[in-house]
Amino acid sequence: MQIKFVKYPRFIAMGEVQLEKRFQDYLDGENKIEPKDWMPDAYRKTLIRQISQHAHSEVVGMLPEANWISRAPSLRRKVALLAKVQDEAGHGLYLYSAAETLGIDRSELVDDLLSGKAKYSSIFNYPTVSWADMGAIGWLVDGAAIANQVMLCRTSYGPYARAMVRICKEESFHQRQGYEIMLSLANGTAEQKQMAQDALNRWWWPSLMMFGPTDDLSPNSAQSMKWKIKRKSNDELRQEFIDKTVPQAEFLGLTVPDKDLKWNEEKQGYDYGEIDWEEFYNVVKGNGPCNKQRLADRVKAHEAGAWVREAANAYAAKEAKRKADKGQAA
Amino acid sequence: MNLDLKNYTLFLADNALILGQRLGEWCGHGPVLEQDIALTNISLDHLGQSRMLLQYAAKQVGNGATEDSLAFFRNEGEFRNLLITELPNNDWAYTLAKHFLFDTFNFFQYEFLMNSKDETIQAIARKAIKEIAYHAQFSAEWIIRMGDGTEESHQRVQNAIDELWMYTGEMFVADSSSEAMTKAAVAPDYALLKEQWQEKVSQVLEIATLVKPEEGWMQKGGREGKHTEHMGYILAEMQHLPRTYPTAKW
């Protein structure tokens, strides 16, 4: 059944201004943009930047958790962690594919990551120093990511929105898994509880920073909202996350490391303390505890894999030729 | 408790556990995302098999033993895995060569175990055989791709096969527990597996344009708990948390 009547390519003869107006009307009608539809160059560029950053974050994000696979304290936890990190590789793949629908090659995107030109989420530049970090990352980092990603399930670019639906399902599972690790630790020995509290202390503020600068300092936000790439502002998302997470911390019997955190009856949400934006900008700039290490690990894996990729390509070419020769002979 | 059955179950379990542990090291560091995912899958398969086998071993050990107490609280000398499973990953060629040599052996081993006289081992083998057949195919395909790929890949995989060859002999030399299990038709006759293994390995190496090494001197000891220098580090890493906090639940 064909229910969609408005398709973009028909309007290709229009002038740029008219096209942009049609485009905006189309978005305002809550329609999804598909790869072959006309779109403003800036929209395409914004999406390529955002989707590839997101893909890079999934791939770099594998590293801090992979750091604990060999040391997971039970076989059940080891298997769950391994499967989780593998999911992230899968998310990286869907997202690179979504970016490729915008007319860019995955290898080009990866090169930009490795050269340091492209960014990834700064949260992964913090170290994972205890097993409790596997809990805190699942609970807080994936929790913050989900707040953002649930919104992105309704983003205006079709392939991105569809990738997000799939990713959100898996991320929710990861978050529960992370929370369950925290729960075991919080109900465990005094040392385990201390481990959990320490992880919360270290991951709380960086998790809040994941939503990006405050609305008044977020230069690209307005345009992204207009294009319906983004549906909620950074501060709105951050507030939602805090309101949802604080009771979870209370349930664990852990203390959120913010002395200014207080329920505000009037706004029906928590007031919270000042985020250390100086730290945020420094980590973004490359001065975080693990920026160099994370990138170096990715570069090392890529370079060490170069001969493997070449071999696979060379073999595929030989096979194709052998097949063709056989076809000719027949 | 049947000591031989327990030892034999641990032999199967430890091979899977140590391979799974080693392969997990690749996660996040593979040459390309798709292969990273593939190796993680294989690691997960091995860990899944090892858990089923360790649970069975734990039942035999009794005294409140669990899969985790066996994985995390046994000492090096109590692990019965083949030496080849504990060798480091080095590069992609070495890892895949290690797996190819082991996977081919493992396939024929599990093909027998599907009809093992021990019902639990039989059931585990019937569940695992699909995974194990896939592992053997996956690693054989990579041996061919590398052998018949570029000059560099050919050289790397040839070197890996040459270096690893002396760890293959041990696969076919049973210890006393395995022998007892062979007599009871629980386990295959390991000396007889060698022929099938030789044939398959030769066939793949030939397609891969690689040279099969001469028989030569073979290392052994894994089945009896005598390991390489690498094993201590694997266990130090793997067991560190449960041993540091022995009363904790995770």
Side-chain angles (χ1 to χ4, degrees), chain A residues 31-47:
Chain A
N31 294 293
K32 293 267 180 270
I33 303 300
E34 295 300 332
K36 285 184 177 157
D37 293 344
W38 184 88
M39 62 188 87
D41 238 18
Y43 177 85
R44 185 185 300 275
K45 279 194 186 125
T46 300
L47 275 170

Side-chain angles (χ1 to χ4, degrees), chain B residues 210-228:
Chain B
L210 294 166
V211 179
K212 188 174 153 200
E214 298 293 324
E215 273 302 275
W217 179 252
M218 294 290 170
Q219 302 299 322
K220 62 178 197 303
R223 286 176 190 256
E224 280 140 4
K226 294 183 192 113
H227 293 279
T228 66

Side-chain angles (χ1 to χ4, degrees), chain A residues 59-80:
Chain A
V59 175
V60 177
M62 294 169 74
L63 297 169
E65 289 181 285
N67 184 37
W68 279 89
I69 290 169
S70 66
R71 292 177 291 169
S74 75
L75 293 180
R76 183 172 81 91
R77 294 286 185 208
K78 189 189 291 289
V79 167

Side-chain angles (χ1 to χ4, degrees), chain A residues 109-127:
Chain A
L109 298 173
V110 171
D111 286 346
D112 284 349
L113 169 69
L114 300 180
S115 71
K117 191 178 149 202
K119 295 262 179 277
Y120 56 86
S121 179
S122 274
I123 193 80
F124 302 119
N125 292 318
Y126 289 88

